[in-house]
Amino acid sequence: MTRVRKYHLTLIGVAALLLVMSLVRIITGENDITSSGTFNAALLLAVPIGLAGLGGLWAERAGVVNIGLEGMMVLGTWFAGWAGYQWGPVAALVAGLLGGAIGGLIHAVATVTFGVDHIISGVAINLLGPGVTRFLSEVLFKEGTRASAAGAGITTSPPISGSAWTPSLPVLSDGPDLLGKLESTHWFLLSDLAGILRGLTHDVNILVVLAVLLLPLTYFVLWHTAFGLRLRSAGENPWAAESLGVNVYLTKYVAVVISGAFAGLGGVFLVFVSNKYVEGQTQGRGFIGLATMIFGNWRPGGLAAGASLFGYASGLQLRSSGAVTTFFLFGAVLLLAYLVIQVRRLLAADRPAELAAGPARQYTLMAFAALGMVVLFWLWLTVEQLPNEFVFITPHVLTLLVLLVASQRLRPPKADGVRYRRGEQH
């Protein structure tokens, strides 16, 4: 019964969010807020972050902190570019997965076998990834090599031979562009829904479909299989799991290698988008993926929400720098909704004592929410154009703010980052 209620609350929340977005679009006149172009860009930007976060989820649910996701993504990009120009997209996919998995294996050897501090090992992987790929580029892509003749340089691979499959989902996007026509009407709510559906279904890369399917697959494996139970027990209490016959070392190894493979898959996606490997193309997405995993409370659904938030903010920034100011109005409306809900809860209290004894922290939060609502509304009225530097960092600032709000309810696995030795008593 609890699951049904949560599911319904999620649907109500999504519907309310869509309603607010449509309302803000009508008030501001910024059609890019719900345009298909914005959501298509958001999808492309969210996928590599979500894959990196998914990799972190697998490792940390097994009790291994993995801040080396960025380095594993870098390995995935290089190996995908190197294999892709020679043998095509399928080879790029396999090589990128293996490249990330190698990074995960190194992290597992250091942390699980030798007991190295997880943070130190992760930092080492982040330093090792760019260093190793630069060395390999100087050896295999230098002038005079076959790769150089195909268009490679020290910081870039040749283009991938062939092209990635970009299908449109049937009914919604094939045939007459009905969604596009409905989006162009700019009607309240209907055109917004059409724009969102068109952006999420038109010219979808095959890796996008794969990444989306990996979310429910991860949830099923980790929460509804015996293997998932053993993996999560290794992250909660490995000594108890050991007493029940679980091979904790093997479980941690498998989880961290899968973690690296997912991060490498995120790197493959970046290579598919640009059609080649380019040095530095990850741009810190591994770290942002780690942040979305924390925001999602170490669960696939919350992780997807965090990646979508960052992807949407980045996509809107790319589509229209002027539309970024609408975040002020959007934030003010959300804070107003929060205040209305809190006031109704207080007024609905059955006993006067519940009103009088309301936690001081709750009233403080309401006061700050009211102040924030006024400030955001004032900023929306007075600021016409944000400086380009602030526009560029808007997605990062938004992610940090959301993490600050969500940090009060976070619960990591109890043995996350704990050094485990077989037979020792904790």
Side-chain angles (χ1 to χ4, degrees):
M1 192 67 181
T2 303
R3 288 182 184 175
V4 174
R5 287 176 181 171
K6 288 182 178 180
Y7 173 70
H8 286 155
L9 285 175
T10 301
L11 289 180
I12 292 171
V14 171
L17 188 62
L18 178 60
L19 188 64
V20 171
M21 292 174 71
S22 183
L23 182 63
V24 170
R25 179 187 64 81
I26 293 293
I27 294 173
T28 61
E30 294 285 353
N31 293 321
D32 276 322
I33 292 175
T34 56
S35 70
S36 57
T38 297
F39 275 85
N40 190 262
L43 192 61
L44 295 177
L45 291 164
V47 165
I49 294 170
L51 287 171
L54 206 57
L57 174 70
W58 275 81
E60 300 211 7
R61 276 294 176 181
V64 179
V65 175
N66 189 1
I67 68 167
L69 294 168
E70 177 74 8
M72 297 171 193
M73 282 190 79
V74 171
L75 290 172
T77 58
W78 190 90
F79 280 99
W82 169 76
Y85 91 89
Q86 300 179 85
W87 303 297
V90 175
L93 177 62
V94 174
L97 283 168
L98 291 176
I102 289 171
L105 180 61
I106 295 172
H107 188 51
V109 170
T111 57
V112 179
T113 300
F114 293 102
V116 175
D117 183 272
H118 298 192
I119 303 300
I120 294 174
S121 177
V123 171
I125 296 293
N126 288 333
L127 296 174
L128 186 67
V132 167
T133 54
R134 183 58 183 263
F135 170 76
L136 292 173
S137 294
E138 290 183 353
V139 172
L140 299 176
F141 295 162
K142 65 182 180 181
E143 189 174 351
T145 60
R146 186 165 66 91
S148 177
I154 297 300
T155 60
T156 181
S157 72
I160 295 177
S161 59
S163 59
W165 180 39
T166 56
S168 292
L169 299 184
V171 180
L172 290 176
S173 293
D174 288 351
D177 193 4
L178 299 178
L179 290 176
K181 292 177 181 178
L182 184 57
E183 178 189 359
S184 63
T185 62
H186 303 307
W187 291 341
F188 176 72
L189 203 58
L190 287 178
S191 65
D192 302 290
L193 185 59
I196 293 171
L197 286 175
R198 187 173 187 273
L200 298 178
T201 59
H202 190 69
D203 292 337
V204 179
N205 188 286
I206 186 64
L207 278 186
V208 173
V209 179
L210 176 62
V212 172
L213 292 177
L214 284 174
L215 288 165
L217 180 62
T218 292
Y219 175 75
F220 174 78
V221 171
L222 293 185
W223 274 270
H224 293 282
T225 65
F227 167 74
L229 179 61
R230 290 193 293 269
L231 187 146
R232 288 186 293 116
S233 67
E236 294 291 340
N237 193 329
W239 295 274
E242 174 192 340
S243 69
L244 295 174
V246 176
N247 189 334
V248 176
Y249 283 133
L250 179 61
T251 302
K252 287 178 178 285
Y253 259 90
V254 171
V256 180
V257 169
I258 291 175
S259 172
F262 277 139
L265 184 60
V268 174
F269 184 83
L270 295 174
V271 172
F272 273 26
V273 170
S274 61
N275 204 38
K276 61 181 178 180
Y277 158 77
V278 180
E279 187 176 85
Q281 69 191 135
T282 57
Q283 296 182 342
R285 287 180 174 87
F287 298 111
I288 300 169
L290 188 66
T292 59
M293 179 205 66
I294 297 171
F295 162 77
N297 205 15
W298 289 265
R299 297 183 73 89
L303 184 155
S308 300
L309 173 65
F310 189 90
Y312 175 74
S314 301
L316 187 62
Q317 164 215 320
L318 292 175
R319 292 282 298 180
S320 172
S321 59
V324 174
T325 57
T326 60
F327 281 123
F328 295 137
L329 180 60
F330 192 68
V333 173
L334 290 180
L335 287 175
L336 176 61
Y338 168 78
L339 286 171
V340 170
I341 292 172
Q342 293 302 317
V343 169
R344 287 193 63 181
R345 283 180 178 176
L346 289 174
L347 294 178
D350 293 333
R351 291 166 293 182
E354 293 181 8
L355 271 173
R361 180 172 169 273
Q362 183 179 359
Y363 294 121
T364 303
L365 287 174
M366 291 175 63
F368 275 110
L371 179 62
M373 179 187 67
V374 173
V375 171
L376 288 175
F377 188 71
W378 174 76
L379 287 172
W380 174 68
L381 289 175
T382 56
V383 177
E384 294 184 2
Q385 185 73 32
L386 289 171
N388 289 332
E389 295 80 6
F390 188 81
V391 171
F392 179 76
I393 66 170
T394 296
H396 303 80
V397 172
L398 189 62
T399 302
L400 286 174
L401 290 175
V402 172
L403 278 174
L404 286 173
V405 173
S407 62
Q408 304 299 320
R409 299 182 178 180
L410 297 180
R411 183 201 169 279
K414 290 182 180 179
D416 195 16
V418 175
R419 180 178 176 271
Y420 165 76
R421 281 292 173 265
R422 181 178 292 150
E424 289 183 357
Q425 294 297 322
H426 181 57

